[in-house]
Amino acid sequence: MNFNSEFNNIAENYLFAEVAKRAGGYSAKNPDKKVLKLGIGDVTLPLVPEVVKALHEGAEEMAKAETFKGYGPYEGYEFLRLNIQNYYKQRGVTLALNEIFVSDGAKSDLGNILDIFSKDNRVLVPDPVYPVYVDTNLMAGRKIIYANATKDNGFLPMPDYKTDADIIYICSPNNPTGAAYTVAQLKEWVDYANKKGAIILYDAAYECFISDETLARSIFQVEGARTCAIEFCSFSKTAGFTGTRCGYTIVPAELGKDGFNANKMWLRRQATKFNGVPYIVQKGAAAVFTKQGLKEINENIKYYKTNAETIAKCMDSLGIWYTGGKNSPYIWLKCPDNMGSWQFFDLLLEKAQVVGTPGAGFGKNGEGYFRLTAFGSKEVTKEATERIKTLLTK
Ligand code: PLP
C-alpha cells in the first residue's frame, strides 16, 4: 500500500489556524477586552422562514409512507431544477434541465469535477485565490500556473495568449478580493478558452451580491461560453445554506472535445460516486425561489450589503485603497503605511481588538493586503469600523 504522495505538496491549513491562534492568544492574555471578528467567510443570519417552513414540510412528507422518498435522482429533483432553470431565464440564460446538476455545495463539485479531466492538464489559477482550486489540483498531481491579480489590474487578471492553459479557474465576485468581472471582460476569457481548447471552471458562489448590471452574474451571459465553461453556484451565501448544504453545477450539453462529452461524463461521475442531496434540503432550496422566499433572502443579502457599505465607507474616509464591498461581501484593502498583512493583523488585533484575514494567506500577491467580511452582525460591523477609524485616523 502506498499513500498519495501528492498530499506532501499541499500546505498545512495554516491561515485560519494561525488567525485563530493569534486571536485566541490575545483573548487569553486580555480577558477584559472584547474582540470583534470581521474575518469569517460564514454567514451569521439564520435560514429565512419560507425555507424553514419547506424543511418542516419535507420532514413531514418523509414521515408518511405515501410521501416518503428514498434515493432521489443523482442530478437533483426536477422541482428544484425547474426553479434554477427559471432563475437563469430571468437574466436571459436558457438552460436545458439536463444541464443542471444539484449538489451538496459548490466546494464539493469544484473538487469532484476534476474526475472528468486528465492529469496532464495545465491549470491556471489567479493569485490570490480561494485555496480549494489549488489544493484539489495538487492532490491530483497537476501543475499550477498562476495569473497575477494585482492592484494594477484591479485584481482582475485578463488572458495572456503567451500562456497555454487547459483548465482555467475564475471566481467572480472573487473570494478573497471582492473584485468582479464585467460581461465584456469575461468575453475575453471565453474567447481565449475557445481559442486554446480550454475549459473555464467558473465559480459564481457570490453572484447574488451583484447589483451593477454591467457585471456578470453567470458566465453563460457571455456569448460562446457554452462551448468552454462549467459554472458552480451555491445556496450557501445566497440563502444561508452553509450548514444546510445545497448548490448546483451547470454543464452545457455541447461541452466536449475529441469525442468526450462533459455533460455525459459528469452525470456518469455523479451516478457512480454521489447519491444526491437530501429531499428535505432540496425542498428547502426550492422555497428560496418562491415570491416570499426571494423577498426574505433579498432582505438578508441587503443586510450583508449594508455591512459591506459600512466597511467600504470607513476605508473611503481613511483614504485606504480597496476592491470589493459594492458587489461582494468581501472588502480587500491595501494595508496602510506599506505594512505587511500579518503586521497589520497584529496591529488591528492589539490596538483595536478587530480580527480580519491577512491577504498573504491567499497567495503571494496577497502580501500587503487584508480581507474584511460583511457576514458579521450590523452592530459588530459598526463598532469594528469605528475602532479601525479611531486607530488609523492620523
Ligand atoms: N466558492 C467560493 C469562492 C467560496 O468562498 C466558498 C465558500 O466560502 C465556496 C465556493 C463553497 O461554497 P459551498 O458552501 O457551496 O460549498
Side-chain angles (χ1 to χ4, degrees):
M1 188 284 289
N2 294 311
F3 280 109
N4 178 359
S5 61
E6 304 295 351
F7 274 63
N8 290 330
N9 300 326
I10 55 175
E12 288 286 316
N13 193 359
Y14 162 78
L15 177 63
F16 290 99
E18 185 63 21
V19 166
K21 192 173 134 207
R22 292 197 196 196
Y26 178 85
S27 290
K29 272 200 221 136
N30 303 277
D32 54 317
K33 296 257 168 58
K34 187 171 139 205
V35 175
L36 304 177
K37 294 189 176 141
L38 289 190
I40 48 159
D42 199 354
V43 294
T44 49
L45 293 172
L47 294 173
V48 298
E50 184 76 355
V51 167
V52 175
K53 194 174 90 189
L55 293 173
H56 282 297
E57 281 166 16
E60 288 303 323
E61 287 177 60
M62 293 301 268
K64 294 186 199 93
E66 315 81 72
T67 46
F68 170 78
K69 304 273 185 304
Y71 291 121
Y74 307 117
E75 63 274 42
Y77 283 99
E78 195 172 291
F79 62 81
L80 177 55
R81 289 187 298 134
L82 280 167
N83 282 359
I84 296 167
Q85 185 185 46
N86 188 41
Y87 185 63
Y88 275 80
K89 205 179 199 168
Q90 282 161 15
R91 64 186 77 120
V93 175
T94 304
L95 298 175
L97 270 192
N98 69 357
E99 296 175 324
I100 302 165
F101 296 83
V102 174
S103 72
D104 64 349
K107 191 188 203 175
S108 319
D109 277 13
L110 280 159
N112 294 338
I113 196 73
L114 295 174
D115 278 0
I116 72 168
F117 300 115
S118 84
K119 188 180 164 182
D120 54 13
N121 284 298
R122 294 156 297 187
V123 180
L124 184 68
V125 168
D127 171 1
V129 71
Y130 176 55
V132 169
Y133 313 149
V134 173
D135 291 351
T136 49
N137 278 289
L138 290 179
M139 282 177 192
R142 287 194 193 86
K143 300 272 174 295
I144 312 245
I145 320 160
Y146 289 95
N148 287 317
T150 62
K151 190 174 173 219
D152 288 342
N153 57 27
F155 286 91
L156 294 169
M158 296 306 292
D160 171 3
Y161 279 79
K162 293 193 289 301
T163 304
D164 289 319
D166 305 304
I167 298 175
I168 302 156
Y169 285 84
I170 297 180
C171 175
S172 179
N174 189 273
N175 178 13
T177 72
Y181 285 103
T182 62
V183 175
Q185 286 171 319
L186 276 187
K187 174 82 172 94
E188 290 189 38
W189 276 110
V190 164
D191 289 347
Y192 168 89
N194 278 325
K195 182 101 192 281
K196 298 271 185 189
I199 270 196
I200 296 173
L201 301 181
Y202 189 79
D203 186 345
Y206 297 96
E207 60 83 17
C208 67
F209 287 90
I210 292 178
S211 38
D212 181 341
E213 298 266 304
T214 63
L215 301 176
R217 293 192 62 164
S218 161
I219 194 158
F220 298 115
Q221 289 172 286
V222 179
E223 198 197 327
R226 288 183 60 87
T227 50
C228 69
I230 295 176
E231 179 160 298
F232 303 84
C233 203
S234 168
F235 294 96
S236 282
K237 310 298 155 88
T238 309
F241 271 56
T242 51
T244 309
R245 310 304 306 143
C246 197
Y248 48 91
T249 293
I250 311 296
V251 190
E254 62 264 51
L255 186 65
K257 196 177 167 184
D258 304 332
F260 289 97
N261 178 277
N263 181 289
K264 289 202 176 107
M265 287 173 86
W266 181 240
L267 178 61
R268 188 72 183 80
R269 188 271 170 212
Q270 290 297 76
T272 304
K273 295 196 187 179
F274 184 61
N275 254 339
V277 176
Y279 172 71
I280 299 172
V281 171
Q282 293 191 57
K283 279 275 291 187
V288 166
F289 299 102
T290 62
K291 200 167 163 222
Q292 181 61 19
L294 284 172
K295 183 170 164 270
E296 291 173 358
I297 63 147
N298 281 329
E299 273 161 27
N300 286 2
I301 293 165
K302 210 163 118 201
Y303 178 93
Y304 294 132
K305 286 187 79 154
T306 308
N307 284 346
E309 236 169 68
T310 305
I311 302 170
K313 270 193 198 141
C314 167
M315 297 306 137
D316 285 336
S317 73
L318 290 165
I320 289 176
W321 187 93
Y322 64 94
T323 51
K326 293 189 178 75
N327 295 281
S328 156
Y330 297 116
I331 287 90
W332 178 255
L333 60 108
K334 173 103 180 68
C335 301
D337 302 326
N338 286 322
M339 265 185 263
S341 295
W342 282 105
Q343 196 187 355
F344 187 58
F345 175 91
D346 288 335
L347 177 83
L348 276 193
L349 176 62
E350 281 158 27
K351 298 280 191 282
Q353 293 79 48
V354 172
V355 177
T357 313
F362 297 101
K364 80 171 171 36
N365 290 328
E367 180 53 278
Y369 290 86
F370 203 74
R371 190 190 78 172
L372 294 173
T373 90
F375 288 125
S377 74
K378 181 179 161 195
E379 294 72 28
V380 164
T381 308
K382 191 161 171 280
E383 191 177 339
T385 47
E386 275 160 14
R387 289 187 193 177
I388 293 173
K389 220 161 157 179
T390 308
L391 174 69
L392 299 178
T393 302
K394 290 182 182 143

